[in-house]
Short mmCIF file of all heavy atoms in Angstrom, two decimals:
data_model
loop_
_atom_site.label_atom_id
_atom_site.label_comp_id
_atom_site.label_asym_id
_atom_site.label_seq_id
_atom_site.Cartn_x
_atom_site.Cartn_y
_atom_site.Cartn_z
N LEU B 181 140.13 130.67 117.78
CA LEU B 181 140.52 132.07 117.93
C LEU B 181 142.01 132.19 118.26
O LEU B 181 142.65 133.19 117.93
CB LEU B 181 139.68 132.73 119.03
CG LEU B 181 138.21 132.96 118.68
CD1 LEU B 181 137.44 133.44 119.91
CD2 LEU B 181 138.09 133.98 117.55
N MET B 182 142.52 131.14 118.90
CA MET B 182 143.94 131.16 119.28
C MET B 182 144.84 130.67 118.14
O MET B 182 146.04 130.52 118.32
CB MET B 182 144.18 130.28 120.51
CG MET B 182 143.40 130.71 121.75
SD MET B 182 143.86 132.36 122.33
CE MET B 182 145.43 132.01 123.08
N GLY B 183 144.25 130.41 116.99
CA GLY B 183 145.06 130.06 115.84
C GLY B 183 145.08 128.59 115.48
O GLY B 183 145.79 128.18 114.54
N VAL B 184 144.33 127.77 116.21
CA VAL B 184 144.28 126.34 115.87
C VAL B 184 143.42 126.17 114.62
O VAL B 184 142.31 126.70 114.56
CB VAL B 184 143.69 125.52 117.05
CG1 VAL B 184 143.43 124.08 116.61
CG2 VAL B 184 144.63 125.57 118.23
N ARG B 185 143.96 125.48 113.63
CA ARG B 185 143.21 125.31 112.37
C ARG B 185 142.23 124.15 112.53
O ARG B 185 142.64 122.99 112.73
CB ARG B 185 144.18 125.05 111.23
CG ARG B 185 145.09 126.25 110.99
CD ARG B 185 146.09 125.96 109.91
NE ARG B 185 145.44 125.78 108.61
CZ ARG B 185 146.11 125.53 107.49
NH1 ARG B 185 147.42 125.43 107.53
NH2 ARG B 185 145.48 125.37 106.35
N SER B 186 140.96 124.48 112.44
CA SER B 186 139.93 123.48 112.75
C SER B 186 139.98 122.29 111.80
O SER B 186 139.86 121.14 112.22
CB SER B 186 138.54 124.13 112.70
OG SER B 186 138.30 124.65 111.41
N ASN B 187 140.20 122.56 110.50
CA ASN B 187 140.24 121.46 109.54
C ASN B 187 141.33 120.46 109.89
O ASN B 187 141.12 119.25 109.88
CB ASN B 187 140.49 121.98 108.12
CG ASN B 187 139.22 122.52 107.50
OD1 ASN B 187 138.13 122.25 108.00
ND2 ASN B 187 139.36 123.30 106.46
N SER B 188 142.49 121.00 110.21
CA SER B 188 143.63 120.12 110.52
C SER B 188 143.35 119.31 111.77
O SER B 188 143.63 118.11 111.83
CB SER B 188 144.89 120.95 110.73
OG SER B 188 145.15 121.71 109.60
N VAL B 189 142.80 119.96 112.77
CA VAL B 189 142.54 119.27 114.03
C VAL B 189 141.52 118.16 113.83
O VAL B 189 141.71 117.02 114.28
CB VAL B 189 142.05 120.26 115.11
CG1 VAL B 189 141.53 119.51 116.32
CG2 VAL B 189 143.18 121.17 115.52
N ILE B 190 140.45 118.50 113.12
CA ILE B 190 139.38 117.50 112.95
C ILE B 190 139.88 116.34 112.10
O ILE B 190 139.67 115.17 112.43
CB ILE B 190 138.12 118.16 112.35
CG1 ILE B 190 137.48 119.04 113.43
CG2 ILE B 190 137.13 117.09 111.87
CD1 ILE B 190 136.31 119.85 112.98
N ARG B 191 140.59 116.65 111.02
CA ARG B 191 141.12 115.55 110.19
C ARG B 191 142.14 114.73 110.97
O ARG B 191 142.18 113.50 110.85
CB ARG B 191 141.73 116.10 108.91
CG ARG B 191 140.64 116.43 107.90
CD ARG B 191 141.18 117.03 106.63
NE ARG B 191 140.10 117.70 105.93
CZ ARG B 191 140.25 118.74 105.13
NH1 ARG B 191 141.46 119.25 104.94
NH2 ARG B 191 139.23 119.28 104.53
N GLY B 192 142.94 115.44 111.73
CA GLY B 192 143.92 114.71 112.56
C GLY B 192 143.22 113.80 113.55
O GLY B 192 143.65 112.66 113.78
N ALA B 193 142.12 114.29 114.12
CA ALA B 193 141.37 113.48 115.09
C ALA B 193 140.79 112.24 114.39
O ALA B 193 140.83 111.13 114.94
CB ALA B 193 140.26 114.31 115.71
N PHE B 194 140.27 112.43 113.19
CA PHE B 194 139.72 111.27 112.47
C PHE B 194 140.83 110.30 112.06
O PHE B 194 140.63 109.08 112.08
CB PHE B 194 138.92 111.74 111.24
CG PHE B 194 137.47 111.98 111.56
CD1 PHE B 194 137.03 113.24 111.95
CD2 PHE B 194 136.55 110.95 111.50
CE1 PHE B 194 135.70 113.47 112.26
CE2 PHE B 194 135.21 111.17 111.82
CZ PHE B 194 134.78 112.44 112.21
N ALA B 195 141.99 110.85 111.72
CA ALA B 195 143.11 109.95 111.37
C ALA B 195 143.53 109.15 112.59
O ALA B 195 143.74 107.93 112.51
CB ALA B 195 144.28 110.76 110.83
N LEU B 196 143.63 109.82 113.73
CA LEU B 196 144.01 109.12 114.97
C LEU B 196 142.96 108.09 115.35
O LEU B 196 143.28 106.95 115.71
CB LEU B 196 144.20 110.14 116.10
CG LEU B 196 144.55 109.58 117.48
CD1 LEU B 196 145.85 108.78 117.43
CD2 LEU B 196 144.67 110.72 118.50
N SER B 197 141.70 108.50 115.25
CA SER B 197 140.60 107.59 115.56
C SER B 197 140.62 106.37 114.63
O SER B 197 140.42 105.23 115.06
CB SER B 197 139.27 108.34 115.43
OG SER B 197 138.20 107.46 115.63
N GLY B 198 140.91 106.64 113.35
CA GLY B 198 140.98 105.54 112.39
C GLY B 198 142.15 104.61 112.69
O GLY B 198 142.04 103.39 112.56
#
Side-chain angles (χ1 to χ4, degrees):
Chain B
L181 290 172
M182 300 297 285
V184 171
R185 296 177 66 179
S186 60
N187 280 344
S188 302
V189 169
I190 288 175
R191 281 178 199 151
F194 270 91
L196 178 59
S197 176

